[in-house]
Amino acid sequence: MNMLILIDYIPLLLRGAVVTISLALLGLLLATVLGALGAAGKLSGGRIAGALVRLYTTIVRGVPDLVLILLIYFGGQRLVNTVGDLFGADYIELSKFGAGVLSIGFIYGAYLTETFRGAYMTIPRGQVEAAQSLGMGALATLWTVSIPQLVRFALPGYANVWQVLVKSTAVVSIIGLEDLVGLANDAGKTVREPFIFFSAVLVAYLFFTWVSQQIFNNLERRYALRGHDAG
Amino acid sequence: MRVDLVLQNWELFAGGVWVTAQLTFLSLFFGFCIALPCGLARARRVGWASPLINGYVYLFRGTPLLVQTYLIYYGLSQFEFIRDSWAWIFLREAWWCALIAFTLNSGAYATEIIRGAVETTPKGETEAATALGLAPRQVTWLVLIPSALRRALPQYGNEVVFMLHGSAVASVITIQDILGAGRTLNARYYVAYEGFITAALLYMAITFTLVMIFRQLEKRYLRHLNIRPAKKSHAIPA
Amino acid sequence: MKRITMAAAAAMTLAGAAQAADLKICVEGAYPPFSETSASGEVVGFDIDIANALCADMGKECEMVKTDWDGIIPALLEKKCDAIIASMSITDERKQVIDFSEKYYNTPARFVGKEGMTADDLAGKTVGVQRGTIHQDFMEGEFGDVELKLYGSQDEAYLDLVAGRVDALMADSIAILDGFLNTDNGAGFAFFGDSYSIPEYHGNGAGVGVRKEDTELRDAITASIKAIRDSGEYESINGKYFDFDIYGG
């Protein structure tokens, strides 16, 4: 085993780490949007919206992330092509990175739907009523009363989803994305030193999870009720 | 969607379901065997064992299962001393490599679940048992563990589904599990997604069967708690 | 419906911006010496050199799209690329789905295993092949009594041969020779058995894959293959990798 070989590959692995982190962050962004829409759909009480959200969360809960990613990358292009042809659009390519972000966002949006819905339900009704009785409009109530509370109650669940999401980025390498895992896999096989490369990847992921833990601990402290325990 | 291809190759998928089922249940079983002593030791903060168990749990919960599997399958086989040892009998086979990786992974998650359940066991339960004259060993085996395991059921149900889904990773190290069967179908007929959709439907069917089984188990074993079982279906094991 | 249009909108913003090249070519990157990934992440090899020479001859700007073997035909069909140059053999089975130019090389298939192994030893042994290749079809058709292990790429198969997880591999002889036997890892391994080139399984050599409707592109590529053969360009690329002409008879 030759540890030194890793040094030559540090620039490559760093490039992969940047791809992995961007994938995770953009995936989280999309997941947050989908999760908020999903929660809104469920809370709206509308029958169609509720059924759509249920279908969405059922698919995600039933299918492994690896299968969904393969399906979105290969099947998604067919969908994009069909929709594109319908509207007479030029060929639009669903890139590997794009497919990765879509998959990760799609999967974890379903979990965040539940996190957000749960957090919203925890907000005491009295607070909203109190705000209204003070003459605040619906939007002002949402913005100054509901959302800050929502953030507080949703944070632990959100942190949990993020930690699982980060690990999920590894499977996107299966569609040939040159992320940390994909590049380490290629390099490890080329120089026949897979052990050292995969060990490096493990250390990198441990580092990601550790850093995220610190950040979320900080946030939870900041959003905790002053003088009370966190959510 | 070419359903005919899937039907023609149903044996491929039947084989895949069998391999997935084996890997999932065996790794859950062995993982549980690791987790029970580890979880108890962690909850009781056994001096020398706690840091070790902590390290193990942190490593396997903090990194992707895919990379753990790669490391065991490709990483270990590069060393000659491993290839010359008795361990090679197992590590030679992709199936065993997957089982080892999945077992260690599931063991780490289950350790945390059991630790949590033991720590939240009401003091009164064990105190009552002691007051009734049960020996410490009896308190552990007859009161603490059964009570903790019952309350761990919803979370453990999540872990079971998580492991079923995680087992799809086996297909990347040449194993013909459900996803492996799907990829073989795609490669054989040069189709883009027929194999993946079939795999997705099979995983879904198994997932919801498992979810239903756990719902029944919870109904039965958590009835005494007189609360609705935690709505578990959307949670993911942390 | 909202969700689908959302996804489509997101897809547009996330879509690759690589629309500049005239022609996108799917290559594999895990099949030395025809196609492999260098330390800097670039794909290099015989297939890539040939691709560049063909593009130059056609006067087109080309972009190489690295694609796993498993997904390479779907990628062509879904227009992620316009041509496949990945040592893909021209077979009737594939011709039902895509079309091919004339061949750009043709080499036989062989077994490789521990030195001293013979074809008679094969019964009951484990043989590795790349999934979805002519070699898989050939083994399934002609060697029903060996256990097949399917790999996503040839590189993975070599790793497992060295590790001893498979007893032998069946693959293209030149790929084995230069991608494995002539490397440090090939020590102690050798070819065994016959050289196979059975049209029913192995087709008529490796060609450039195109979509069926792109007949113009197919003919242009065939003409360019002939042109680089005539101009000596092919010979000089061939010479970089092999000490004999792999174009075949």
Side-chain angles (χ1 to χ4, degrees):
Chain A
M1 195 165 75
N2 183 1
M3 298 280 285
L4 292 176
I5 199 134
L6 212 52
I7 293 173
D8 295 342
Y9 280 88
I10 283 177
L12 188 77
L13 294 180
L14 282 179
R15 210 174 75 201
V18 170
V19 173
T20 295
I21 294 170
S22 336
L23 176 65
L25 288 175
L26 286 175
L28 183 72
L29 191 71
L30 179 61
T32 307
V33 173
L34 288 178
L37 284 176
K42 246 185 163 171
L43 291 164
S44 72
R47 204 175 306 158
I48 299 169
L52 269 179
V53 176
R54 212 165 21 253
L55 179 71
Y56 167 45
T57 52
T58 304
I59 291 174
V60 170
R61 277 166 42 218
V63 183
D65 50 0
L66 188 52
V67 180
L68 270 180
I69 284 166
L70 287 165
L71 206 51
I72 288 177
Y73 182 61
F74 288 113
Q77 187 68 57
R78 172 73 58 89
L79 186 72
V80 170
N81 287 359
T82 314
V83 173
D85 288 347
L86 222 61
F87 294 107
D90 276 344
Y91 172 72
I92 299 159
E93 171 157 355
L94 182 57
S95 67
K96 287 173 185 167
F97 186 77
V101 171
L102 274 183
S103 314
I104 297 276
F106 183 76
I107 295 169
Y108 292 95
Y111 293 108
L112 285 180
T113 294
E114 206 46 39
T115 306
F116 291 155
R117 194 190 70 97
Y120 187 84
M121 308 265 283
T122 333
I123 300 172
R125 287 304 92 187
Q127 294 191 357
V128 177
E129 283 160 19
Q132 278 162 353
S133 71
L134 286 172
M136 283 169 75
L139 209 63
T141 309
L142 189 72
W143 194 245
T144 58
V145 179
S146 297
I147 300 251
Q149 301 264 56
L150 195 71
V151 171
R152 178 177 306 144
F153 291 129
L155 252 182
Y158 197 74
N160 184 11
V161 167
W162 163 256
Q163 296 285 31
V164 183
L165 181 154
V166 169
K167 284 175 269 168
S168 221
T169 56
V171 298
V172 181
S173 64
I174 291 299
I175 60 173
L177 181 71
E178 293 181 323
D179 67 333
L180 181 59
V181 179
L183 287 174
N185 192 6
D186 285 349
K189 279 172 189 159
T190 309
V191 301
R192 321 270 166 179
E193 293 273 3
F195 186 84
I196 189 79
F197 278 92
F198 289 130
S199 301
V201 174
L202 282 191
V203 171
Y205 269 97
L206 280 179
F207 181 69
F208 295 156
T209 31
W210 181 78
V211 169
S212 334
Q213 192 68 53
Q214 303 311 312
I215 293 174
F216 275 107
N217 283 349
N218 255 323
L219 281 176
E220 276 175 42
R221 258 200 304 276
R222 167 146 16 135
Y223 277 97
L225 287 173
R226 285 184 193 91
H228 295 266
D229 285 331
Chain B
M1 175 86 187
R2 302 216 19 215
V3 183
D4 57 314
L5 290 184
V6 178
L7 295 178
Q8 262 171 42
N9 290 277
W10 69 271
E11 279 174 318
L12 189 68
F13 286 98
V17 169
W18 175 233
V19 172
T20 293
Q22 275 180 319
L23 279 175
T24 307
F25 288 105
L26 289 177
S27 54
L28 284 166
F29 174 75
F30 292 124
F32 184 80
C33 295
I34 295 177
L36 194 57
C38 287
L40 269 177
R42 277 282 286 118
R44 295 181 162 175
R45 300 180 207 287
V46 176
W48 57 272
S50 267
L52 271 180
I53 297 170
N54 265 350
Y56 158 63
V57 169
Y58 198 76
L59 178 66
F60 278 89
R61 291 175 77 225
T63 57
L65 178 60
L66 177 71
V67 183
Q68 295 161 13
T69 311
Y70 274 147
L71 190 70
I72 290 175
Y73 186 76
Y74 289 115
L76 294 184
S77 69
Q78 95 181 47
F79 300 108
E80 210 153 332
F81 72 89
I82 288 179
R83 296 210 299 268
D84 292 338
S85 74
W86 59 268
W88 188 242
I89 302 168
F90 300 107
L91 292 174
R92 184 181 192 273
E93 302 292 334
W95 191 88
W96 279 101
C97 290
L99 184 65
I100 293 167
F102 298 171
T103 297
L104 290 172
N105 186 276
S106 179
Y109 282 94
T111 296
E112 271 306 279
I113 295 173
I114 291 175
R115 180 189 65 87
V118 170
E119 278 178 352
T120 54
T121 302
K123 267 270 178 305
E125 288 187 19
T126 47
E127 278 169 2
T130 311
L132 284 171
L134 266 68
R137 183 181 298 241
Q138 286 176 310
V139 175
T140 304
W141 283 101
L142 300 178
V143 179
L144 183 64
I145 290 179
S147 162
L149 289 187
R150 283 174 179 219
R151 277 170 297 106
L153 252 183
Q155 269 186 296
Y156 194 72
N158 286 333
E159 166 59 19
V160 169
V161 170
F162 186 68
M163 201 60 248
L164 168 72
H165 288 183
S167 76
V169 160
S171 68
V172 301
I173 56 166
T174 75
I175 295 174
Q176 290 285 311
D177 66 344
I178 295 177
L179 181 56
R183 301 182 103 183
T184 301
L185 183 92
N186 286 354
R188 190 175 290 163
Y189 300 99
Y190 317 114
V191 290
Y193 56 81
E194 274 80 352
F196 297 144
I197 287 189
T198 312
L201 291 174
L202 287 170
Y203 279 113
M204 247 186 188
I206 302 175
T207 304
F208 292 117
T209 312
L210 288 172
V211 167
M212 233 137 66
I213 292 173
F214 269 87
R215 222 167 258 164
Q216 291 308 312
L217 286 176
E218 283 166 30
K219 249 190 213 149
R220 195 184 149 130
Y221 288 108
L222 294 177
R223 198 173 37 202
H224 68 290
L225 291 179
N226 200 21
I227 47 163
R228 258 177 60 80
K231 198 160 180 330
K232 49 168 293 258
S233 42
H234 294 277
I236 36 181
Chain C
M1 264 342 266
K2 185 161 70 180
R3 200 157 308 286
I4 292 174
T5 43
M6 270 267 324
M12 281 177 212
T13 54
L14 293 165
Q19 297 287 327
D22 303 328
L23 210 55
K24 284 186 289 177
I25 298 182
C26 277
V27 295
E28 192 197 352
Y31 192 65
F34 294 99
S35 179
E36 57 190 306
T37 310
S38 70
S40 57
E42 252 179 298
V43 196
V44 294
F46 179 81
D47 281 343
I48 285 77
D49 288 353
I50 290 290
N52 284 325
L54 294 177
C55 290
D57 186 73
M58 289 187 289
K60 295 205 173 189
E61 194 153 316
C62 289
E63 182 200 337
M64 302 299 148
V65 182
K66 194 177 152 195
T67 311
D68 284 349
W69 179 257
D70 272 349
I72 213 161
I73 288 182
L76 176 72
L77 295 176
E78 299 304 336
K79 302 183 185 168
K80 284 180 190 290
C81 58
D82 307 298
I84 298 172
I85 302 187
S87 297
M88 184 176 277
S89 301
I90 307 163
T91 63
D92 290 340
E93 224 177 276
R94 290 190 181 122
K95 272 189 171 166
Q96 292 177 7
V97 194
I98 60 172
D99 207 353
F100 285 96
S101 73
E102 293 295 315
K103 69 160 184 178
Y104 66 95
Y105 77 87
N106 190 7
T107 48
R110 293 199 73 177
F111 285 110
V112 62
K114 272 251 152 53
E115 263 168 13
M117 200 167 169
T118 71
D120 300 331
D121 303 334
L122 276 172
K125 292 274 166 57
T126 310
V127 174
V129 292
Q130 193 174 355
R131 179 168 52 215
T133 58
I134 52 175
H135 311 296
Q136 183 188 348
D137 297 337
F138 170 71
M139 289 302 293
E140 283 172 350
E142 299 292 313
F143 287 85
D145 55 349
V146 305
E147 195 189 324
L148 269 197
K149 214 168 166 195
L150 306 179
Y151 289 90
S153 76
Q154 199 59 39
D155 271 351
E156 291 172 10
Y158 294 142
L159 278 180
D160 269 7
L161 179 64
V162 172
R165 285 197 175 106
V166 288
D167 301 299
L169 302 178
M170 162 50 73
D172 181 84
S173 54
I174 299 306
I176 292 174
L177 189 66
D178 289 275
F180 178 66
L181 285 178
N182 288 348
T183 68
D184 297 344
N185 293 281
F189 293 92
F191 283 126
F192 67 89
D194 295 331
S195 283
Y196 297 97
S197 190
I198 307 170
E200 181 194 348
Y201 297 112
H202 297 105
N204 311 306
V208 178
V210 295
R211 285 182 292 273
K212 278 190 167 172
E213 66 268 26
D214 292 342
T215 49
E216 231 169 85
L217 178 62
R218 180 198 65 196
D219 296 340
I221 291 171
T222 298
S224 286
I225 292 173
K226 195 170 177 324
I228 62 168
R229 281 291 294 172
D230 293 343
S231 71
E233 175 84 18
Y234 185 100
E235 200 186 336
S236 72
I237 294 172
N238 188 98
K240 263 173 75 181
Y241 298 92
F242 315 106
D243 49 18
F244 67 100
D245 186 0
I246 67 166
Y247 185 75

